[in-house]
Amino acid sequence: MPIVGMVGGGQLARMTQQAAIGLGVTLRVLSESADDSAARACADVRIGDPDTLDDLQSFAKGVDVVTFDHEQVPGPVIKALEAAGVTCRPGSAALLHAQDKRVMRERLSALGAPCPRFAVISSAAEVEAFAGQTGWPVVLKATRGGYDGKGVWVCGSPDEAATVVARAAAEGVGLLAEEHVAFRRELAALVARSPYGQGAAYPIVETVQRDGICHEVIAPAPGLDDELAVQAQRLALDIADQLGVVGLLAVELFETSAGGILVNELAMRPHNSGHWTIEGARTSQFEQHLRAVLDLPLGTTTPTAPYVVMANVLGGTDPDVYSRYIHVMAHDPAIKVHFYGKGVRPGRKIGHVTALGDDLDEVRERARHAADYLRWGPSPS
């Protein structure tokens, strides 16, 4: 049976291990620490530095394909691994578009994909010139790095923008300026593509963000026009094809006030917006990613219930989360709880819960109650 090597020891690798067991696939994980989320759950764990070619080459010996649970492995290191004959999926050429926002914006614009207006900037004066075309506020983004709201600044004035530009210059961080989009809500399109060229698309979901962190995912996105949903799925499949993505591609979208869609971000791996698929789809995103990178026929993406809601569980002030299981499970025996084996600290993603059912309001309330109780315990009366 094949061996898949996944670089990164986070919760995405941990949940991929669960899917690998069912497929009979061995998942080998490259983790920086034996205490990482996946290292606590996987049998074949190698400890090493994913930025170091020697560690990656040693890790890749004997595996059939290397894939990733994050986009932070340096592109030149992945290229060197490929040059040594290691199959990487997605490959370095595709992954670059999830690593570098400038490259992503320029390529997608050349392909005709709908994107916010943007400009590469290096001075406060260039930000002001850009704002002269789009108006304030302006969104400044680090071209590399950034996650869960980090590396993104919404600037409402020239002074705010000048502060960000000066700090970025001091730290050697490249910046992109984007127009501040007036959007109704945020959506996500999750698709998979195999080397054979087969594609599969999941229903479009709504993601609810607070302070740059995803709190809730609703599948399918309620009230979304059918034609717009199909347009979003086709857009994501086309991007996957044009960029040569193998594996999963998550396309984060804005649904604009005018009724269209714009591409916000790309991720080429299992994604937080797809955790609902573990219980909510016939093929989970983790199984689908393994199928794709191994060039197996892709699985059906049919939902298992009319509505599925996933709520992230964030760390609160009490680390004894396990003691609150009893209430959550007794209150709602159908709720599904997933924890990532991470230490609790305020605001950190430590797990998620999933609820399924026929009534959206009821399903949302069940998911929210479970996530809030696991984080905080009972509300004060």
Side-chain angles (χ1 to χ4, degrees):
M1 300 297 285
I3 300 173
V4 175
M6 181 166 264
V7 178
Q11 65 262 26
L12 300 180
R14 182 186 181 98
M15 288 182 276
T16 303
Q17 167 66 13
Q18 295 170 323
I21 291 170
L23 288 174
V25 172
T26 296
L27 186 72
R28 178 183 298 174
V29 170
L30 180 63
S31 179
E32 294 187 66
S33 166
D35 291 328
D36 285 345
S37 178
R40 292 167 173 251
C42 298
D44 190 353
V45 178
R46 311 296 168 92
I47 305 301
D49 182 355
D51 294 350
T52 304
L53 181 58
D54 286 346
D55 284 359
L56 277 174
Q57 286 180 323
S58 177
F59 167 74
K61 288 179 180 177
V63 306
D64 294 272
V65 61
V66 168
T67 190
F68 309 89
D69 93 332
H70 60 76
E71 293 97 352
Q72 305 309 317
V73 181
V77 175
I78 302 175
K79 287 182 179 179
L81 202 60
E82 292 169 328
V86 176
T87 300
C88 297
R89 293 173 177 162
S92 58
L95 198 59
L96 177 61
H97 299 88
Q99 296 174 320
D100 191 310
K101 293 180 176 63
R102 174 180 179 174
V103 172
M104 181 264 290
R105 281 281 178 251
E106 291 175 343
R107 181 68 186 280
L108 293 185
S109 295
L111 293 174
C115 296
R117 288 176 288 178
F118 72 97
V120 179
I121 60 96
S122 58
S123 69
E126 290 176 335
V127 179
E128 287 195 58
F130 180 75
Q133 302 172 21
T134 65
W136 295 95
V138 167
V139 180
L140 297 182
K141 294 182 176 182
T143 54
R144 285 180 171 267
Y147 185 72
D148 281 350
K150 298 178 178 66
V152 179
W153 303 270
V154 180
C155 301
S157 69
D159 287 344
E160 290 182 18
T163 299
V164 174
V165 171
R167 186 186 310 133
E171 297 175 358
V173 175
L175 288 177
L176 198 69
E178 293 185 359
E179 68 173 309
H180 189 267
V181 176
F183 61 89
R184 286 188 57 230
R185 57 181 171 174
E186 295 186 65
L187 305 172
L190 183 67
V191 299
R193 180 177 177 274
S194 70
Y196 181 77
Q198 184 186 10
Y202 288 91
I204 303 300
V205 302
E206 177 179 349
T207 64
V208 179
Q209 315 280 335
R210 300 190 197 105
D211 300 322
I213 298 175
C214 179
H215 279 245
E216 189 178 52
V217 175
I218 307 167
L224 184 63
D225 178 78
D226 289 344
E227 290 187 10
L228 192 61
V230 171
Q231 179 186 339
Q233 289 175 316
R234 287 176 174 169
L235 172 64
L237 287 167
D238 186 54
I239 291 173
D241 184 58
Q242 293 292 331
L243 300 186
V245 176
V246 173
L248 285 175
L249 171 68
V251 182
E252 298 179 45
L253 301 161
F254 294 129
E255 182 182 3
T256 67
S257 301
I261 52 174
L262 296 173
V263 177
N264 181 24
E265 303 282 357
L266 302 180
M268 297 180 189
R269 51 173 170 75
H271 192 254
N272 197 187
S273 68
H275 291 352
W276 68 272
T277 62
I278 298 174
E279 289 86 23
R282 298 296 179 190
T283 308
S284 79
Q285 65 163 344
F286 302 99
E287 178 182 340
Q288 197 79 291
H289 187 69
L290 289 171
R291 287 183 180 224
V293 300
L294 289 169
D295 206 11
L296 297 170
L298 300 181
T300 180
T301 58
T302 305
T304 60
Y307 292 105
V308 186
V309 175
M310 185 283 302
N312 281 315
V313 178
L314 305 180
T317 53
D318 179 7
D320 188 15
V321 177
Y322 188 78
S323 67
R324 295 191 282 280
Y325 267 7
I326 294 174
H327 169 87
V328 168
M329 293 179 176
H331 178 77
D332 187 352
I335 206 81
K336 296 299 181 181
V337 182
H338 298 261
F339 273 90
Y340 304 153
K342 292 183 172 183
V344 176
R345 63 171 184 257
R348 185 188 201 187
K349 286 181 189 173
I350 59 172
H352 73 266
V353 297
T354 307
L356 302 86
D358 300 326
D359 183 283
L360 176 58
D361 291 338
E362 178 190 32
V363 173
R364 281 187 91 172
E365 177 55 33
R366 288 168 52 210
R368 287 175 176 176
H369 173 85
D372 288 346
Y373 198 96
L374 287 168
R375 184 180 188 185
W376 301 116
S379 300
S381 55

